[in-house]
Amino acid sequence: MIKSVHNLYSFLGLTPGELDSITSRITENYYQRSRPKIKYGEFQRDDSGNIKYRDLLIPSYLLKSRQQRIARLLSGITLPVYMFGSIKERSNIQNARQHLNHQYFFTLDLKKFFPNINHRQVNMMLCENGFSFSVSRILTQLTTYQASLPQGAPSSPVIANLVFMPTGNRLNELAKMNNIIFTTFLDDLTFSSDHCFKKRIPEIIKIVKQGGFYPAYDKMHYRKGYSEVTGLFVKGDRLELPYSMNKKTRENHHIKSYKEQVRKYNSVRPCLIKHCKKDLRLFEANKKGHRLVTLAPLQNLPTGGL
């Protein structure tokens, strides 16, 4: 990783004066924008029928281009296999697949995931990943806004994953000790098992809080039989689209394409999932041994995600 400020100037393609101009007037390099929340290719609405909006902080072109460079650099850090959100060639479908053939599910959302990550957490993460203190300080200035992670900056998802990783590792260790599968999709945490693990929920919440994150109690669910996991229903050995989405397959070509991706994943029964740079390889057991099945990387819903 980058150790000297001089190398940082070269990496960012900025002179010391240009970099100082950005960091000293960082608030002037953002503007606020509200965008409608989209799910299943349609606007999300509240109980009164009004469209829900997400407040974003959009960086200026100059700052955004540098945040994109930082994001590409940080994407070179290896992330654990339990993470699926905003990671190249991993998707919400693959995330949901990890929980097939389970009977008990616990799903948890992290409240205001990006804004609740502060500049100290970002700076510490950068230092722990090999950046010098001076470089970490500048990178933190370039990727945070008013001491928190801005929702809308291209660098925020990868930084959020890296900041959450120590907490995620603790949750994963707890899960493995209790024969539970654990995955994350940014702020969506999912735990599943073939045995009841309700008594472990207080331990899970305690670890989340100790990491400096805040559970959204109104979006916390413990279910038996089947569960919704990152926009898909996990039912036995299959993934299913929600009824409200499934019935619109004919009229919405984006949903139709998405349904086809889910169907392809349902067509094989993996006993091992490996992620690599070019594709996702699934091993399908049969009478003669193990047959390699290769699927092209499947993407998320192209109309705004879940």
Side-chain angles (χ1 to χ4, degrees):
M1 292 301 172
I2 302 172
K3 297 289 186 179
S4 73
V5 174
H6 177 75
N7 288 338
L8 180 62
Y9 294 146
S10 177
F11 168 73
L12 294 173
L14 296 171
T15 66
E18 289 171 334
L19 179 59
D20 182 67
S21 177
I22 295 174
T23 56
S24 63
R25 297 199 297 265
I26 197 70
T27 57
E28 298 175 16
N29 280 278
Y30 285 95
Y31 65 93
Q32 295 184 344
R33 174 178 290 180
S34 294
R35 290 180 179 172
K37 292 184 177 181
I38 297 176
K39 191 173 185 179
Y40 311 145
E42 296 188 341
F43 296 125
Q44 292 187 55
R45 299 180 182 274
D46 58 24
D47 295 337
S48 301
N50 299 315
I51 296 175
K52 296 181 180 180
Y53 286 85
R54 177 178 285 108
D55 294 326
L56 301 176
L57 285 165
I58 309 298
S60 65
Y61 174 79
L62 181 61
L63 178 58
K64 181 179 179 180
S65 63
R66 271 56 190 181
Q67 289 175 340
Q68 288 171 333
R69 294 189 187 193
I70 295 168
R72 287 193 293 269
L73 177 64
L74 295 178
S75 295
I77 299 173
T78 302
L79 291 172
V81 294
Y82 61 76
M83 282 188 173
F84 289 86
S86 292
I87 301 174
K88 188 177 181 180
E89 297 185 5
R90 301 189 195 182
S91 70
N92 65 298
I93 303 176
Q94 296 168 17
N95 179 66
R97 275 187 66 84
Q98 313 308 306
H99 303 280
L100 292 175
N101 296 310
H102 285 172
Q103 286 295 310
Y104 298 89
F105 304 86
F106 177 53
T107 55
L108 167 67
D109 278 16
L110 300 179
K111 191 174 182 180
K112 296 183 178 179
F113 187 42
F114 288 175
N116 280 330
I117 293 176
N118 62 54
H119 65 293
R120 293 186 183 88
Q121 291 172 300
V122 174
N123 188 76
M124 183 182 299
M125 177 276 293
L126 293 167
C127 289
E128 290 175 349
N129 280 283
F131 294 93
S132 68
F133 178 80
S134 56
V135 170
S136 296
R137 180 179 60 82
I138 295 172
L139 291 178
T140 299
Q141 290 176 316
L142 290 172
T143 56
T144 58
Y145 174 81
Q146 295 184 349
S148 66
L149 205 59
Q151 186 163 341
S155 51
S156 290
V158 64
I159 290 176
N161 276 333
L162 290 167
V163 169
F164 182 75
M165 192 161 63
T167 300
N169 288 342
R170 290 186 63 194
L171 291 171
N172 195 46
E173 285 301 314
L174 175 66
K176 288 193 294 185
M177 288 172 57
N178 292 276
N179 295 315
I180 299 168
I181 295 296
F182 164 64
T183 64
T184 72
F185 196 89
L186 290 177
D187 59 342
D188 292 334
L189 313 186
T190 305
F191 303 80
S192 69
S193 182
D194 54 8
H195 65 272
C196 180
F197 60 95
K198 195 172 185 177
K199 63 182 180 180
R200 299 298 177 192
I201 293 179
E203 295 177 70
I204 292 171
I205 295 174
K206 181 180 179 180
I207 291 174
V208 170
K209 288 182 174 180
Q210 287 176 341
F213 300 94
Y214 304 89
Y217 290 99
D218 58 330
K219 295 182 180 180
M220 190 182 301
H221 304 285
Y222 185 78
R223 297 184 176 94
K224 179 182 178 181
Y226 69 92
S227 179
E228 184 176 358
V229 178
T230 49
L232 293 167
F233 282 106
V234 178
K235 294 185 177 181
D237 63 353
R238 294 185 61 79
L239 300 176
E240 295 183 7
L241 272 65
Y243 174 75
S244 60
M245 186 178 185
N246 205 24
K247 68 180 182 180
K248 296 172 181 176
T249 302
R250 292 183 179 179
E251 60 191 58
N252 189 318
H253 71 277
H254 293 302
I255 296 179
K256 182 178 180 180
S257 175
Y258 183 60
K259 183 177 181 180
E260 178 61 19
Q261 293 180 54
V262 175
R263 187 197 66 78
K264 288 180 179 179
Y265 272 105
N266 279 334
S267 67
V268 294
R269 299 172 184 269
C271 64
L272 178 64
I273 297 179
K274 289 185 177 180
H275 296 284
C276 65
K277 293 182 178 179
K278 294 183 179 179
D279 54 23
L280 174 69
R281 292 184 173 90
L282 304 177
F283 287 87
E284 182 183 53
N286 58 27
K287 295 181 180 179
K288 296 181 180 179
H290 293 85
R291 179 167 61 86
L292 180 65
V293 179
T294 303
L295 294 178
L298 303 182
Q299 304 300 321
N300 289 326
L301 184 64
T303 54
L306 301 172

